[in-house]
Amino acid sequence: MIQQIKRSHKGLLSLTYEYTTLFACMLVMFQAYLIAPLSPSLARDFASPLPALGIPVFAIAFSIAATATAYLKIHVPVRGYLLLSLGSMALGCYLLSISETAFFFLITRALVGFGTGALLPMTILHNVCHTKKPKSLERIVPVVFALAMGMTFSPSIGGWLNGVFGWRMLYLCLSILCTLFLILCLLKKVEKFIPPGILIENSGDVKSFERNAGFIYSFSFLTGLFHSGVFVWISHYFTVQYRLNESEIATELFIFGFPGFALSFLFHHLQMDKKMITFLYATMGLTILGLLLLWGDLSLGLAECLLAVISIGFGCSQPLFMGLVKLPQGRQTLLSPAAHGTGFLFGGYGIGPLVMFALLSINLSTGLLFLISTVAALAYISIRIWKKNGIPANSVFINGK
């Protein structure tokens, strides 16, 4: 019995060690979007509307730091970046929990973004290299799911628990959780973390890959733009149209986020990812139709059904944020496209709310037209990537593997 308990304990530790970087990536998105529905509470507590910029400030800082990893030739093991990121989140979340001014809140958010920015490209590199499979880009999929999980559930959890514990207590709990993961990382054996700088082999026409890279990065940017912008639009729409409070807005964000996430997971489990291109326009059309129907004077129940339709259409059309899964290749290290792809994705996350805030100051319809235009642009770019200039998502081979 004791031996079984010891083996179970070792197995649990081994599993936790293996997925530490994935947990950390999930925490990055979780702490980033926790405040998505909480602008009224933050504005009231700080007597300022500036905390509404909390997500853009974090995401833009993260984007800059992530992109910088492609140019800063600092030979630091992945473990070093992981420790820095977990430490930044642990300290940053604690400072956020005791913030007394909007300026301090935003500065802290920016510093957390800079501190965690290198984590995602380094996690992608670690997961790709930490495998015996030659077609190792398949290992990026869990990273994308970790990000999606954090982004899907954190706005809802933040809105639901804010009314019970308050956002300060939520950030304090996150600080404790990040500290525990930091300790776990310190206990992890150093040699299991792969250092950066792994080269990829050229496989085909480099110029063709370079042309395709522009579409892939555009796809990543527009994906971030839509996801972050639509959160702001949904919060504003249901507040204005139905006078919902923050906890109720959190439910609407869950109705939007969960169906698409669950569908993407199901498609990947059934190995249907690459078949999605065959009905891309149908699903993008479903998304646009759902957005258009929200223009009408609808009952709350019908509006919520349309949110689920939009989520399913968008989730079905681009499972796993394929712009990150399908990294461009060429005469460079794998770190470079991972860093640039991450930079563009989070650049979209940061700019999306800023654009939506500006458009909503005009009216709801202007923001809705922006979302529809973004989906249409994604449909066009997706076809260019996956049909005309596409390369298999698992076609990168790591030297020496």
Side-chain angles (χ1 to χ4, degrees):
M1 183 66 175
I2 295 177
Q3 292 299 323
Q4 288 180 343
I5 294 175
K6 286 183 178 180
R7 282 197 296 269
S8 299
H9 181 257
K10 287 182 179 179
L12 180 61
L13 279 179
S14 177
L15 184 66
T16 307
Y17 286 160
E18 182 180 354
Y19 291 106
T20 300
T21 51
L22 298 182
F23 291 150
C25 286
M26 185 182 68
L27 283 174
V28 166
M29 296 301 284
F30 195 91
Q31 60 84 30
Y33 281 89
L34 188 70
I35 60 171
L38 303 183
S39 292
S41 286
L42 293 169
R44 183 175 58 252
D45 290 350
F46 290 113
S48 169
L50 290 179
L53 301 177
I55 291 175
V57 164
F58 168 83
I60 291 173
F62 189 102
S63 173
I64 294 170
T67 306
T69 60
Y71 302 99
L72 300 177
K73 308 300 181 182
I74 303 174
H75 297 289
V76 179
V78 180
R79 183 173 186 269
Y81 292 100
L82 183 58
L83 290 172
L84 172 63
S85 300
L86 289 171
S88 297
M89 286 192 288
L91 178 60
C93 287
Y94 173 73
L95 293 176
L96 290 172
S97 72
I98 62 172
S99 297
E100 295 296 335
T101 66
F103 179 76
F104 183 81
F105 184 87
L106 292 181
I107 288 296
T108 303
R109 291 282 290 177
L111 292 176
V112 174
F114 283 122
T116 55
L119 176 64
L120 182 52
M122 299 309 297
T123 298
I124 291 172
L125 184 66
H126 168 65
N127 271 37
V128 167
C129 299
H130 191 62
T131 177
K132 296 180 180 179
K133 295 182 179 180
K135 296 181 178 181
S136 52
L137 274 190
E138 295 172 356
R139 291 297 296 264
I140 298 178
V141 171
V143 180
V144 180
F145 269 129
L147 296 174
M149 185 176 295
M151 190 176 188
T152 298
F153 294 106
S154 62
S156 303
I157 292 175
W160 291 332
L161 296 184
N162 177 60
V164 180
F165 302 107
W167 60 268
R168 293 183 185 277
M169 179 59 68
L170 294 181
Y171 272 119
L172 182 60
C173 291
L174 267 178
S175 175
I176 295 171
L177 184 59
C178 291
T179 301
L180 292 176
F181 275 116
L182 177 63
I183 294 171
L184 183 66
C185 183
L186 287 170
L187 297 175
K188 183 176 175 62
K189 293 182 179 179
V190 178
E191 62 270 15
K192 288 189 177 181
F193 287 93
I194 309 297
I198 303 299
L199 292 173
I200 60 173
E201 296 178 0
N202 294 331
S203 53
D205 181 14
V206 174
K207 290 185 178 180
S208 174
F209 289 136
E210 290 174 350
R211 286 196 303 269
N212 201 38
F215 289 110
I216 294 173
Y217 293 145
S218 298
F219 182 94
S220 297
F221 177 78
L222 289 173
T223 295
L225 199 70
F226 178 85
H227 272 93
S228 216
V230 77
F231 278 0
V232 175
W233 189 88
I234 289 172
S235 298
H236 187 79
Y237 173 80
F238 281 92
T239 299
V240 172
Q241 293 289 103
Y242 304 101
R243 307 299 181 199
L244 301 187
N245 59 35
E246 291 175 351
S247 178
E248 292 167 331
I249 294 296
T251 301
E252 307 309 322
L253 291 176
F254 181 80
I255 291 173
F256 168 76
F258 181 73
F261 172 79
L263 194 66
S264 293
F265 184 86
L266 179 63
F267 282 154
H268 177 66
H269 179 71
L270 298 176
Q271 299 182 339
M272 294 176 62
D273 298 8
K274 296 175 185 178
K275 297 179 181 179
M276 294 304 100
I277 193 66
T278 58
F279 48 93
L280 172 73
Y281 282 144
T283 55
M284 286 296 197
L286 185 65
T287 304
I288 292 174
L289 177 62
L291 289 168
L292 286 171
L293 290 176
L294 282 175
W295 233 319
D297 187 13
L298 310 171
S299 67
L300 177 59
L302 182 55
E304 289 173 338
C305 289
L306 288 175
L307 276 188
V309 168
I310 294 167
S311 177
I312 289 171
F314 199 73
C316 186
S317 63
Q318 53 153 28
L320 313 179
F321 300 157
M322 287 180 180
L324 269 182
V325 175
K326 204 172 170 59
L327 293 170
Q329 306 168 64
R331 296 189 184 96
Q332 54 191 335
T333 68
L334 182 59
L335 177 59
S336 179
H340 284 99
T342 300
F344 278 102
L345 179 65
F346 275 79
Y349 285 149
I351 294 173
L354 299 179
V355 173
M356 188 56 69
F357 286 141
L359 295 177
L360 288 176
S361 67
I362 302 173
N363 54 48
L364 268 170
S365 298
T366 307
L368 192 60
L369 283 173
F370 169 73
L371 293 176
I372 292 171
S373 301
T374 304
V375 174
L378 276 165
Y380 170 77
I381 291 172
S382 298
I383 288 292
R384 294 298 301 267
I385 294 174
W386 295 97
K387 259 193 171 178
K388 295 183 179 180
N389 299 313
I391 51 177
N394 57 3
S395 63
V396 173
F397 290 80
I398 306 302
N399 286 339
K401 293 291 180 181

